[in-house]
Amino acid sequence: MDLNADAGESYGRWTLGDDARLYPHLSSVNLALGAHAGDPGTLRRAVDLARQHGLGIGAHPGYPDLQGFGRRELALTPEEIHDLTLAQLGTLSAFLHLSGTPMQHVKAHGALYFRIHGDAHAGQAFCHAVQRFVPHAALMVLAGPAGETLAATAHASGLRVWREAFPERGYLASGLLAPRSLPGSSVHDPHEAADRAVQMARGTLTALDGTRIALHADTLCIHGDNPNAVQIAAAVRAALAAADVPVAPPA
């Protein structure tokens, strides 16, 4: 099971997250590329730190929305999404090129992530940009029914797919992520998140209403901007080890 986190999200003198303490618990990292967060210096340091810890490095392109942290929907056309994605992939590629490090995967951020899952044209544009620039990279999509359309689009483009689940988030009985407005939709207790991670590694999960559902994931995400991210990542990593689940990127 892969364990990833969104990181490199500081900007200038403003610091978000604790990448130095978070990285030792991970196997992969998704780096901000200056659109929703991050800047060139932050990205360079994030790449160097990820390489020191032997992490798989992925691109985390998002909407150009620093003020809203990329979590606000923008009315971009599919062509604009393609070009925006391509530009951000190029940004990470420049830093990876200096050390000969491959781009392991691509994962959209925030509102763009959900846009490409729900809008077929946007999803096609995003996948086309990834396939043209880094055809060897895996594309992260939502585990469960919400990710099937994008997964099919990615496969049709010749891309590998990693299905992603979130130990910090509640799920509905349908297998969809619970809206954040619902009680229990966000998990803040590291031990609860760790228990959920082990369930996910075994292909199941308890939904908010107590229903046991199937949820097959290749990678688990810890949000780097979560105030408890380091504690959650440490607890998840320890729980997976105790359950004899190796932590590494998918083959």
Side-chain angles (χ1 to χ4, degrees):
M1 177 64 71
D2 183 53
L3 184 58
N4 79 79
D6 306 335
E9 294 177 323
S10 298
Y11 185 81
R13 296 176 64 185
W14 180 73
T15 300
L16 181 66
D18 190 346
D19 292 356
R21 294 176 59 219
L22 178 63
Y23 281 24
H25 306 295
L26 307 176
S27 52
S28 297
V29 66
N30 324 308
L31 298 183
L33 304 169
H36 77 277
D39 59 61
T42 297
L43 179 58
R44 174 180 53 78
R45 290 187 291 273
V47 167
D48 289 345
L49 186 62
R51 292 184 65 248
Q52 290 173 24
H53 288 284
L55 306 183
I57 300 175
H60 199 31
Y63 280 140
D65 178 27
L66 286 173
Q67 186 174 5
F69 198 62
R71 288 178 174 162
R72 302 182 295 189
E73 182 57 54
L74 301 183
L76 300 187
T77 66
E79 183 179 40
E80 289 171 326
I81 288 174
H82 170 277
D83 295 344
L84 176 72
T85 302
L86 198 59
Q88 292 181 69
L89 295 178
T91 297
L92 178 58
S93 179
F95 288 94
L96 295 178
H97 174 75
L98 296 177
S99 60
T101 304
M103 192 182 305
Q104 174 185 263
H105 65 275
V106 179
K107 173 190 170 181
H109 168 80
L112 180 59
Y113 184 77
F114 290 105
R115 169 83 180 274
I116 65 174
H117 279 83
D119 179 337
H121 296 296
Q124 289 170 355
F126 189 89
C127 288
H128 185 48
V130 175
Q131 192 280 328
R132 292 181 70 191
F133 195 80
V134 279
H136 61 275
L139 182 70
M140 288 191 184
V141 308
L142 281 168
E148 291 310 307
T149 297
L150 183 59
T153 299
H155 282 140
S157 300
L159 296 172
R160 293 179 295 127
V161 167
W162 293 358
R163 288 173 170 80
E164 180 181 43
F166 299 85
E168 307 162 297
R169 291 293 313 279
Y171 283 76
L172 303 176
S174 62
L176 300 176
L177 280 170
R180 290 185 181 271
S181 58
L182 290 180
S185 62
S186 295
V187 177
H188 302 287
D189 177 43
H191 299 292
E192 182 181 356
D195 178 68
R196 293 165 61 78
V198 172
Q199 290 185 52
M200 291 171 171
R202 292 171 174 165
T204 65
L205 182 65
T206 302
L208 289 183
D209 67 356
T211 302
R212 196 76 166 179
I213 61 175
L215 191 72
H216 300 285
D218 305 297
T219 183
L220 304 178
C221 176
I222 307 298
H223 288 96
D225 63 319
N226 186 319
N228 296 329
V230 173
Q231 293 83 357
I232 289 174
V236 167
R237 184 73 185 246
L240 291 174
D244 294 322
V245 177
V247 175

